[in-house]
Amino acid sequence: MNMLYLAPIVGVLALLFAAYKASFVSRQDAGNERMKEISSYISEGAMAFLTREYKALVVFVVVLAIILAVGLKSIPTAICFIVGAIFSVAAGYVGMKVATKANVRTTNAAWKGGLGKALDVAFSGGVVMGMCVVGLGIIGISCAYFLTGGQTEIITGFSLGASSIALFARVGGGIYTKAADVGADLVGKVEAGIPEDDPRNPAVIADNVGDNVGDVAGMGADLFESYVGALLSVITLGVVAYGEEGVTFGMLVATIGILASIVAAFFVKGDKNPQKALNAGEYVAAAVTMIASALLSNHIFGSFSPFAPVIIGIAVGLIISKFTEYYTADDYAPVKRIGAESETGSSTNIIAGLSVGMMSTVGPIIIIAIGIIAAYLGAGGSADPIVGLYGISLAAVGMLSTTGMTIAVDAYGPIADNAGGIAEMCELPEDVRDITDSLDSVGNTTAAIGKGFAIGSAALTALALFVSYINATGLTGIDISKPEVIAATFVGGMLPFAFSALTMSAVGNAASEMIDEVRRQFREIPGIMEGKARPDYARCVDISTGAALKQMVVPGLIAVIVPVLVGLLLGTEALGGLQAGALVTGVLMAIFMSNAGGAWDNAKKYIEGGAHGGKGSEAHKAAVTGDTVGDPFKDTSGPSLNILIKLITVVSLVFAPLFVAYGGLFL
Amino acid sequence: MNMLYLAPIVGVLALLFAAYKASFVSRQDAGNERMKEISSYISEGAMAFLTREYKALVVFVVVLAIILAVGLKSIPTAICFIVGAIFSVAAGYVGMKVATKANVRTTNAAWKGGLGKALDVAFSGGVVMGMCVVGLGIIGISCAYFLTGGQTEIITGFSLGASSIALFARVGGGIYTKAADVGADLVGKVEAGIPEDDPRNPAVIADNVGDNVGDVAGMGADLFESYVGALLSVITLGVVAYGEEGVTFGMLVATIGILASIVAAFFVKGDKNPQKALNAGEYVAAAVTMIASALLSNHIFGSFSPFAPVIIGIAVGLIISKFTEYYTADDYAPVKRIGAESETGSSTNIIAGLSVGMMSTVGPIIIIAIGIIAAYLGAGGSADPIVGLYGISLAAVGMLSTTGMTIAVDAYGPIADNAGGIAEMCELPEDVRDITDSLDSVGNTTAAIGKGFAIGSAALTALALFVSYINATGLTGIDISKPEVIAATFVGGMLPFAFSALTMSAVGNAASEMIDEVRRQFREIPGIMEGKARPDYARCVDISTGAALKQMVVPGLIAVIVPVLVGLLLGTEALGGLQAGALVTGVLMAIFMSNAGGAWDNAKKYIEGGAHGGKGSEAHKAAVTGDTVGDPFKDTSGPSLNILIKLITVVSLVFAPLFVAYGGLFL
C-alpha cells in the first residue's frame, strides 16, 4: 500500500479524537443556572460574530473564486480554494463551539472537582481545536493531492482558501477582542471603578467573547494557514527534489506529528502543577515525532539527511519560544527593567517597552537565519540546490508537525481565562477563582510562547512558499541588484508598517465606538450600577462585531491587491523582491510588536505583584499606560502580520502562472 | 583644460564664502556681559564635547587605519581614510564654532536690529556649516581622485573616514542632546516647576549645548557622509558607464549645486516672513542647479538622458520633504488626530503617534521605489544596465547637489533656538523673545523637513554605494533566493531594530545620570533656587559628554563588525543581502521614528496653542508623554539609522577586496 494514504487516515483519526474530546467536554456539568446563563451570553456572542464574519466571507470567497476561475482559467483551483476556505471555517466553528462550552464547565470543575479536573476540562477543550486544525489540514491537502494527481498549481488554491479565512479570523478577531477589552477596561474599570469581569459592565460579555474570537479562532486559523502552507510547499518542492518519495516523507512527518500529539495529550494531567503538565505534553509530542521521523527518513531514503531539517525546524520553534519567554516573562531582566522604568512615568515605561521589543528581534532572527542555512545544507543543498530548498520546507513542516499539541496548549489559555471571568460574574467562592487564576496565569505564559511559535512558523512557512514561488515561476534567481527588484523590496518592506498602522487605528476606532456605547448604557439604563437592571450585552457584542468587520476591509484588500499589482506591472522577479521585503520586515515587526506587548503586560502584573509600590502607585499607573499600548501590539497588529506575510506569498504563488504570462507590463 | 578641475576650485570658493560669512558673524556685537557669559558657557560646553569626542576618535581612527593598511595591504587607503576623518572633523569643528558664536549674536541682533537682522545672522551661521561640508567634501573626493589616478578602491577610504566621524557625531551627539534635554525638562520643568531655559537649572547649558552638538554637528556630519558617499558612487559607476566623462558629469553636477547654493544664499533675507526667505533660498538653489545640469548634460553627452536622474533625485528629495511636512506639521490631519487622541490619555496618544509614524512610511517609500526605477530607466538602463546603475548614483548626487543650502537652512534652526534660550536666561525684553520665537518656530519646520531630506539622501546614497559594491565585487547579481543570502538579509533587516533599541536605552541611561545630578545640585547647593548661587553647569555638560561617548561604543562597533563578519563567513553575495536588508528596514525605521517623533512634538505644541483644553489640561499631559517618547525617536535613534545604513554599505565596499579573496569561510 502507498504509505501516503496514511496521511488522510490519521487525519480522520484526529477528527475522531476531537469528537471524543468534544463529547467528553459536553458531558461535563455546566453548573448552576446563573453560570449557564452567563456562559450562554458568551457562546451566543461568539457564534453571532462567527456567523456575521462568515456571511461577509461568502462574498469575498465567491468573488475571489470567480477571479481564480476566470483569471487562471482553472475551475479546479477555484474549487480547491472554496474547499480550503470551508475547511478553515469548519475548524474554527467547531473549535470555538467547544471552547465556549469548555469555559463554564472548567469553572464548575474547579468548583466541584478541584485543579486536576479543571485542567482536564480546559485542556480537552483546547485539544478539540488542535485536532480539528491538523485533521482537516492534512485531509484537505492529501485529498487535493490524490484527486488532482499531484498538480501543485491547483492545490495552491486550497492554501489560498485557508489564508483568506485566516485573514478574516486573525485580523477581524484581533480588532474585535481589543476593541471590547479597551472599552470594558477604560469605562468600567477606570471611569466607573468596578472590577474586571463585573457583570454590571455592558462590555464584559463582548470582552469574554473576544478572548474566544481572537485567541481561539484567530490563533487556530493562523496555524491552520501555516500548517497547510508548509504541507503545500513540501509537496511542491518534494516532488522536484525526490519525486513521490519527497512528497511522502514530508506528509508522513506531519502524520507522525499528529499521532504523537494524540499520544502526548494523555500525558497532560495532574492536580499539582498545570505548567508542568502542559510541558510534559509538548515534550512527549516533540520527542516522539523526532524519533519516528528519524526512522522514517532512514526507511525511505536510507539516510538521515532529510531528517536533519525536521529536527532543525523543531529546534528553531523551541528556541524562539525560549527567547519569547525571556523577553516577556517577569522572571527575567527585560520585564523587570520596564517595571523599574515605570517609576519615572509613562514615557520611560513606553521607551523601555519599545526598546525591549526591538531588542527581542535579535535572538529569533539569528536563529531563523542559522536555521535557514542549516536546513538547506543539512538536507544536502551543497550537492543539489533543489534538495536544499526542499530542506527549508521540511524545516517548516518539522516545526509545525506538533501543531495539534501546540494549539491545544494555546487554546487552553482563553478557556481558563473565560472560566475565571464566569466564576467572578457568578460570584462563586474565592477558592474557585484561585484555581482558575492559577490555570490562567499558566495560560498567559503559554499564550506568549504560542505567539512566538506562530511567528516562527509563519516565517518558515512564508519562506517555504517563497521558495516554491521561485520554483513555480521558473526563475533562476531573484536578483536584488536589479532596480525593479530592489524597488519592489522597499515596497514589500513597507507593507507591514502600513498594515500595522491600519490595524492599530482600527482598534482605536472600534474602541471609541465601544466606549461611547458603554458610557451611554451607564447613563441611560436606570439601576445598572446597583445591579438591578441588566446591561444590554448584545448591543456591545454587536458593535465589536460590526466594527471589526468594517475595519478589516482595507488592510485585507491591500494584502491581496498589492502583490497582484506588482506582479502584473513589474513582473515575477520584482514580485519575488516584494515577498522578500515583506517577509523580512513582517517577521521583525511581528516579533517586535508581540514581545513589546507581552513585556508591557507582564511588567504591569509584576508591579501589581508588589514591586515598585504595587497596585495604585505612580509606577502602576505608568505600567497601565504601557499595557494599554501593548494590547493592540500583541493581540491585533503583531499577530495580523503573520497572516500578511503568508497571504502575500500564497497570492503570489497562486497567481504565478498569470504573472509568468503577462507580468512586467510597466517595464 | 579638464573641466573636472572646476570641482576643487569651486570647493575652495565655498570655503572662502564660508570664511567670509564666519567673519561677518564674528564682527557682530555679542551683546551685554551677561549674554557673553551665558554664551561662553554654551560654546565652552560644545567645544569640550567635541574635544573629548575627537580624542576618543583618534583611538578609533588609528586602529581602523592599521586594520585597513594591514588587512587590505593598502597604505594609500588608510591615508585616504585618515584624511576623510580629518575633513569631517574640520567641517564639524568650524561649523559648531561659528554656530555657537552666531547664537548670542542672533539674540543681540533681534534685540537691537529686529527680525531681518536676526535672520541674517542666524542664517549666516548656518551657511558656514553648509559651505564647509560641501567645500571640504568636493575638495577631498576630487583630490583623492586626481592623486590616486582614479583608483576608486582607494578613494573609498575617504568615504569610510567620513562615515566613521558621522557615526560618532550623529549617534554620540544624539545621545548627548536628548540626555541633557530629558534631564533638564524632567527635573527642572516638571519637578522644580521652573520654566524652560531658566538659568537656575543646572542642565540648561548642557541642553543648549546639545542643540549644537546634535542638530548642527550631528546633522552636518550626517550630510557630509551622504555627500561624499554619493560622489564616491558616481565616480565608481561613472567611470564604468562612460569613462572620464561619466566622472566629470557627476562631479560637475555637485559643483553646480555649490555655486547655485552660494548664489541662493543672497536671496535669504527680509524682515517679514523668515519661512518665505528660507524657501526662496532653497528654490533658487534647486532651479539654478536643474537648468545648469541640463545644459551640462547636453554639452558633455549631447543628450539629456544623464540629466534625467539628476532631476529625479532633486524631485524625490522635495517630495519626501513634503510628505514629512504633512505628517509632522499641525496644519494637517495626522498631528490633529494625535491631538484629539490625547483627550483619552497617554496610551491613545502613544498609539496614535506610533500609527501615524508607521503610516508615514508609505508615501516616501513609494516615491523612493519609483525614483529608483525612473532614475535607472531615465539614464538609459534598459539599453545598458551599468548606465542605469550610474543613473541611480546620479540621482543621489542630484538630490545632494544643493546640500550647502540644505545644511544652512537646517543649522539655522538650532542657532535660533539657542538665541531664544539666551534671551530667556539673560532676561531680555519680551519682544526679543518674540522675534527669536518666530525664527525658532520656522526652525522647527525646517528641522523636520531637514530630517526627511537626511533620510532620503541616506537612502539614495546607501543604495548608490550598494550598487558600487556589486560592481566592485564583480558579482553578476545578488540572488535573494539563495539560503545564505536570505539569511543575511534577515540579519541585515534586524540591525536597525537592534541599533534603535540600543540608542534608545543609551538615552535612558544617560538621562538617568543627568536626572540624579540635577536633583543633587538642587538639594546640595544652597541658594540655587533663589538664583543666588550659580549651578554647576560644567558638571552636567561633563555627564552628558561622558555618557554619550560611553553609550555609543556598542552600537558603533556593531555597525562595523557585523558586515565584516558576514562578508568573511558567508561571502560577498550574502553580504549584499545583509546590505539590502539593512537598507530597507533602516530607511523604514528612520522614517517611522523621525516622523512619529516630529508628530508627537507638534501635537503637544498644537495643544499648547489652545486646542483640546490647552496647556495644563489632561490632553496636554498626555501629549507631553508622547513628546518625551518622541525625543529619542526623532533626535537619536531615527537619525542614527541614516549613519548605520551608509556605514554598513561603506564598510562592505572598502573591505570588498578582502571578501572577494577570503569570503565565505563558513559555506
Side-chain angles (χ1 to χ4, degrees):
Chain A
M1 190 195 92
N2 187 336
M3 283 206 295
L4 201 47
Y5 285 113
L6 281 173
I9 292 170
V10 169
V12 171
L13 188 65
L15 295 185
L16 291 175
F17 189 58
Y20 160 72
K21 281 288 188 184
S23 97
F24 166 78
V25 169
S26 293
R27 281 198 314 273
Q28 306 302 310
D29 184 12
N32 64 29
E33 283 315 305
R34 175 78 179 142
M35 289 162 72
K36 284 179 188 156
E37 187 197 345
I38 292 284
S39 82
S40 75
Y41 295 148
I42 299 176
S43 106
E44 281 161 23
M47 288 305 146
F49 173 73
L50 277 196
T51 313
R52 275 184 61 182
E53 185 186 85
Y54 293 159
K55 272 189 197 155
L57 267 167
V58 169
V59 181
F60 180 84
V61 168
V62 168
V63 171
L64 204 48
I66 293 172
I67 293 177
L68 286 172
V70 176
L72 295 173
K73 298 190 190 68
S74 165
I75 290 173
T77 307
I79 293 173
C80 260
F81 164 70
I82 293 171
V83 174
I86 291 174
F87 272 35
S88 177
V89 163
Y93 185 85
V94 174
M96 275 261 292
K97 189 98 195 164
V98 173
T100 54
K101 276 185 180 179
N103 54 11
V104 66
R105 289 165 174 81
T106 300
T107 316
N108 194 57
W111 191 13
K112 302 288 167 58
L115 181 65
K117 185 72 188 163
L119 171 65
D120 195 14
V121 176
F123 180 70
S124 296
V127 167
V128 176
M129 182 85 210
M131 287 300 142
C132 284
V133 164
V134 294
L136 289 171
I138 204 158
I139 291 172
I141 284 284
S142 54
C143 290
Y145 181 79
F146 293 131
L147 294 173
T148 62
Q151 290 185 60
T152 49
E153 66 279 13
I154 296 175
I155 310 175
T156 56
F158 188 84
S159 192
L160 182 64
S163 288
S164 304
I165 305 306
L167 176 75
F168 278 73
R170 194 54 136 163
V171 181
I175 296 169
Y176 184 112
T177 180
K178 286 303 115 178
D181 189 16
V182 171
D185 281 3
L186 216 66
V187 188
K189 269 160 72 174
V190 179
E191 290 183 11
I194 58 179
E196 179 135 11
D197 291 326
D198 191 296
R200 289 172 293 176
N201 192 331
V204 72
I205 296 295
D207 190 8
N208 277 282
V209 169
D211 291 342
N212 289 294
V213 163
D215 295 346
V216 179
M219 170 69 89
D222 186 347
L223 288 180
F224 184 76
E225 182 193 16
S226 285
Y227 195 72
V228 166
L231 290 178
L232 170 67
S233 170
V234 90
I235 289 178
T236 326
L237 296 166
V239 77
V240 191
Y242 287 114
E244 182 99 353
E245 284 174 349
V247 177
T248 305
F249 180 69
M251 292 294 285
L252 285 191
V253 167
T255 309
I256 289 168
I258 295 177
L259 287 171
S261 298
I262 294 176
V263 171
F266 292 97
F267 286 80
V268 180
K269 58 182 172 194
D271 49 13
K272 293 266 158 46
N273 188 334
Q275 180 75 65
K276 258 195 177 159
L278 294 170
N279 285 349
E282 300 243 40
Y283 293 150
V284 168
V288 171
T289 307
M290 282 194 220
I291 296 167
S293 302
L295 297 175
L296 183 72
S297 172
N298 195 39
H299 174 72
I300 293 184
F301 301 101
S303 142
F304 289 108
S305 279
F307 167 65
V310 173
I311 197 167
I312 288 166
I314 295 176
V316 167
L318 288 176
I319 297 173
I320 290 179
S321 300
K322 287 288 155 200
F323 276 118
T324 310
E325 198 184 339
Y326 173 75
Y327 280 101
T328 57
D330 63 9
D331 309 327
Y332 304 100
V335 168
K336 288 195 172 130
R337 196 183 117 213
I338 299 175
E341 292 283 345
S342 307
E343 292 221 3
T344 34
S346 302
S347 26
T348 40
N349 166 287
I350 297 291
I351 292 176
L354 292 169
S355 137
V356 162
M358 289 179 187
M359 206 63 208
S360 76
T361 60
V362 176
I365 290 295
I366 291 177
I367 290 301
I368 289 174
I370 294 175
I372 293 169
I373 297 176
Y376 181 89
L377 295 179
S382 45
D384 181 0
I386 190 72
V387 167
L389 299 181
Y390 172 61
I392 291 176
S393 68
L394 275 179
V397 170
M399 192 181 202
L400 283 155
S401 56
T402 58
T403 295
M405 177 51 80
T406 309
I407 294 180
V409 169
D410 227 52
Y412 147 96
I415 293 174
D417 190 1
N418 259 232
I422 292 171
E424 190 78 29
M425 285 186 270
C426 300
E427 292 156 0
L428 297 187
E430 195 65 29
D431 60 328
V432 176
R433 180 78 207 210
D434 287 346
I435 291 178
T436 59
D437 272 356
S438 81
L439 291 178
D440 185 23
S441 81
V442 173
N444 280 330
T445 313
T446 59
I449 295 173
K451 283 198 179 94
F453 179 84
I455 297 168
S457 65
L460 276 193
T461 301
L463 190 70
L465 288 168
F466 171 62
V467 169
S468 303
Y469 167 83
I470 297 165
N471 190 257
T473 48
L475 286 167
T476 51
I478 292 175
D479 181 3
I480 205 167
S481 69
K482 288 188 184 159
E484 75 275 18
V485 178
I486 185 83
T489 308
F490 267 106
V491 173
M494 172 268 282
L495 290 179
F497 284 76
F499 205 74
S500 302
L502 289 171
T503 47
M504 270 197 285
S505 307
V507 170
N509 296 339
S512 300
E513 276 189 63
M514 183 65 82
I515 288 169
D516 288 344
E517 172 61 20
V518 176
R519 283 183 183 155
R520 186 194 65 76
Q521 292 200 20
F522 276 139
R523 204 172 50 232
E524 295 180 3
I525 301 179
I528 186 171
M529 282 306 286
E530 294 76 35
K532 284 179 196 151
R534 221 194 81 184
D536 188 353
Y537 298 134
R539 182 84 198 97
C540 288
V541 168
D542 205 49
I543 284 178
S544 248
T545 307
L549 294 179
K550 194 177 74 190
Q551 298 285 344
M552 61 159 298
V553 173
V554 176
L557 286 180
I558 287 177
V560 178
I561 291 175
V562 173
V564 174
L565 218 58
V566 168
L568 286 178
L569 289 179
L570 301 178
T572 48
E573 195 168 354
L575 182 53
L578 181 94
Q579 292 174 63
L583 178 57
V584 169
T585 60
V587 172
L588 280 159
M589 289 289 280
I591 298 174
F592 157 49
M593 296 184 92
S594 288
N595 288 351
W600 270 316
D601 187 0
N602 281 324
K604 188 193 69 171
K605 289 187 178 132
Y606 172 64
I607 291 177
E608 285 173 352
H612 304 293
K615 232 169 173 165
S617 64
E618 285 301 311
H620 184 241
K621 274 186 205 158
V624 169
T625 305
D627 182 41
T628 313
V629 174
D631 267 343
F633 261 53
K634 73 178 196 306
D635 293 324
T636 312
S637 302
S640 297
L641 291 172
N642 298 344
I643 311 298
L644 178 74
I645 57 177
K646 286 178 286 184
L647 192 56
I648 288 176
T649 48
V650 171
V651 168
S652 305
L653 185 57
V654 168
F655 288 99
L658 200 68
F659 306 139
V660 171
Y662 304 105
L665 296 175
F666 180 76
L667 294 179
Chain B
M1 191 195 91
N2 186 336
M3 282 206 297
L4 200 47
Y5 286 112
L6 281 174
I9 292 170
V10 170
V12 171
L13 188 65
L15 294 184
L16 291 175
F17 189 58
Y20 159 72
K21 281 288 187 183
S23 97
F24 165 78
V25 170
S26 295
R27 279 198 315 273
Q28 305 303 310
D29 183 14
N32 64 29
E33 283 315 305
R34 176 76 181 144
M35 289 163 73
K36 283 179 188 155
E37 187 197 344
I38 292 284
S39 83
S40 75
Y41 295 148
I42 299 176
S43 107
E44 282 161 23
M47 287 306 145
F49 173 73
L50 277 196
T51 313
R52 276 185 60 182
E53 184 186 87
Y54 293 160
K55 271 188 197 155
L57 266 168
V58 168
V59 181
F60 180 84
V61 167
V62 167
V63 171
L64 204 49
I66 293 172
I67 293 176
L68 287 172
V70 175
L72 295 174
K73 298 191 190 70
S74 165
I75 291 174
T77 307
I79 294 173
C80 259
F81 164 72
I82 293 171
V83 174
I86 291 173
F87 272 35
S88 177
V89 163
Y93 186 85
V94 173
M96 275 261 291
K97 189 98 196 164
V98 173
T100 54
K101 275 187 179 177
N103 53 13
V104 66
R105 288 166 175 81
T106 300
T107 316
N108 194 58
W111 191 11
K112 303 287 168 57
L115 180 67
K117 185 73 188 162
L119 170 66
D120 194 13
V121 177
F123 180 71
S124 295
V127 167
V128 176
M129 183 83 209
M131 287 299 142
C132 284
V133 164
V134 295
L136 289 170
I138 205 158
I139 290 171
I141 283 284
S142 55
C143 290
Y145 182 80
F146 292 132
L147 293 173
T148 63
Q151 292 184 58
T152 49
E153 66 279 14
I154 298 176
I155 310 175
T156 56
F158 187 83
S159 191
L160 182 64
S163 288
S164 305
I165 305 306
L167 176 73
F168 278 72
R170 193 54 137 162
V171 181
I175 296 170
Y176 184 113
T177 180
K178 286 303 117 179
D181 189 16
V182 172
D185 281 4
L186 216 64
V187 188
K189 269 160 71 175
V190 179
E191 290 183 12
I194 57 179
E196 179 136 11
D197 291 326
D198 191 296
R200 289 172 294 176
N201 192 332
V204 71
I205 297 296
D207 190 10
N208 277 282
V209 170
D211 292 341
N212 290 294
V213 163
D215 296 346
V216 179
M219 170 69 89
D222 186 348
L223 288 180
F224 185 76
E225 182 192 16
S226 286
Y227 195 72
V228 165
L231 291 178
L232 170 67
S233 171
V234 90
I235 289 177
T236 326
L237 296 166
V239 78
V240 191
Y242 287 113
E244 182 98 352
E245 283 175 349
V247 177
T248 306
F249 180 68
M251 293 292 285
L252 285 191
V253 168
T255 309
I256 289 168
I258 296 176
L259 288 171
S261 298
I262 294 176
V263 171
F266 293 96
F267 286 80
V268 180
K269 58 183 174 193
D271 48 13
K272 292 267 158 46
N273 187 335
Q275 181 74 64
K276 257 195 177 157
L278 294 170
N279 286 350
E282 300 243 40
Y283 293 150
V284 168
V288 171
T289 307
M290 283 194 221
I291 295 167
S293 301
L295 298 176
L296 184 71
S297 173
N298 196 40
H299 174 72
I300 293 184
F301 301 100
S303 142
F304 289 107
S305 279
F307 167 65
V310 173
I311 197 168
I312 288 166
I314 296 175
V316 167
L318 287 176
I319 297 172
I320 290 179
S321 299
K322 285 289 155 201
F323 276 118
T324 310
E325 198 185 336
Y326 173 74
Y327 280 102
T328 58
D330 63 8
D331 309 327
Y332 305 100
V335 169
K336 288 197 172 123
R337 197 184 115 211
I338 299 176
E341 291 283 346
S342 307
E343 292 222 3
T344 36
S346 300
S347 25
T348 39
N349 166 287
I350 297 291
I351 293 175
L354 292 170
S355 138
V356 163
M358 289 180 188
M359 206 64 208
S360 76
T361 61
V362 177
I365 291 294
I366 291 177
I367 290 302
I368 289 174
I370 293 175
I372 293 169
I373 298 176
Y376 181 89
L377 295 179
S382 45
D384 180 359
I386 191 72
V387 168
L389 299 181
Y390 172 62
I392 290 176
S393 67
L394 275 179
V397 170
M399 191 183 201
L400 283 154
S401 56
T402 58
T403 295
M405 178 49 82
T406 310
I407 294 180
V409 169
D410 227 49
Y412 147 95
I415 293 173
D417 189 1
N418 259 231
I422 292 171
E424 190 78 30
M425 287 185 269
C426 299
E427 292 157 359
L428 297 186
E430 195 65 27
D431 60 328
V432 176
R433 181 76 206 211
D434 287 345
I435 291 177
T436 60
D437 272 355
S438 81
L439 292 178
D440 185 23
S441 82
V442 173
N444 281 329
T445 312
T446 60
I449 295 173
K451 285 201 178 91
F453 179 83
I455 297 169
S457 66
L460 276 193
T461 301
L463 190 71
L465 288 169
F466 170 64
V467 169
S468 303
Y469 168 84
I470 297 165
N471 190 256
T473 48
L475 286 167
T476 50
I478 293 176
D479 180 4
I480 205 165
S481 69
K482 288 187 185 160
E484 76 275 17
V485 178
I486 185 85
T489 308
F490 267 107
V491 173
M494 173 267 284
L495 290 178
F497 283 77
F499 204 75
S500 301
L502 288 171
T503 47
M504 269 198 285
S505 307
V507 171
N509 295 339
S512 299
E513 277 189 63
M514 184 63 83
I515 288 169
D516 289 342
E517 173 61 21
V518 176
R519 283 183 184 154
R520 187 195 66 76
Q521 292 200 20
F522 277 139
R523 205 171 50 231
E524 295 180 5
I525 300 178
I528 187 172
M529 283 307 287
E530 295 74 38
K532 284 178 195 153
R534 219 194 85 185
D536 188 353
Y537 299 134
R539 183 83 199 96
C540 289
V541 168
D542 205 47
I543 283 178
S544 248
T545 306
L549 293 179
K550 195 178 75 190
Q551 298 284 344
M552 62 159 296
V553 172
V554 177
L557 287 180
I558 287 178
V560 177
I561 291 176
V562 173
V564 174
L565 219 57
V566 168
L568 286 178
L569 290 179
L570 301 178
T572 47
E573 195 168 354
L575 183 54
L578 182 95
Q579 292 173 64
L583 178 57
V584 169
T585 60
V587 173
L588 281 160
M589 289 288 280
I591 298 173
F592 158 48
M593 298 184 90
S594 289
N595 287 351
W600 270 316
D601 187 0
N602 282 326
K604 187 193 70 171
K605 288 186 179 134
Y606 172 64
I607 291 177
E608 284 172 352
H612 304 292
K615 231 170 174 165
S617 64
E618 284 302 309
H620 184 242
K621 275 186 205 156
V624 169
T625 304
D627 182 43
T628 313
V629 173
D631 267 343
F633 260 53
K634 72 178 197 304
D635 292 324
T636 312
S637 302
S640 296
L641 292 172
N642 299 343
I643 311 298
L644 178 74
I645 57 177
K646 286 179 286 184
L647 192 57
I648 288 177
T649 47
V650 170
V651 168
S652 304
L653 185 56
V654 169
F655 288 100
L658 202 66
F659 306 140
V660 170
Y662 304 105
L665 296 174
F666 180 78
L667 292 179

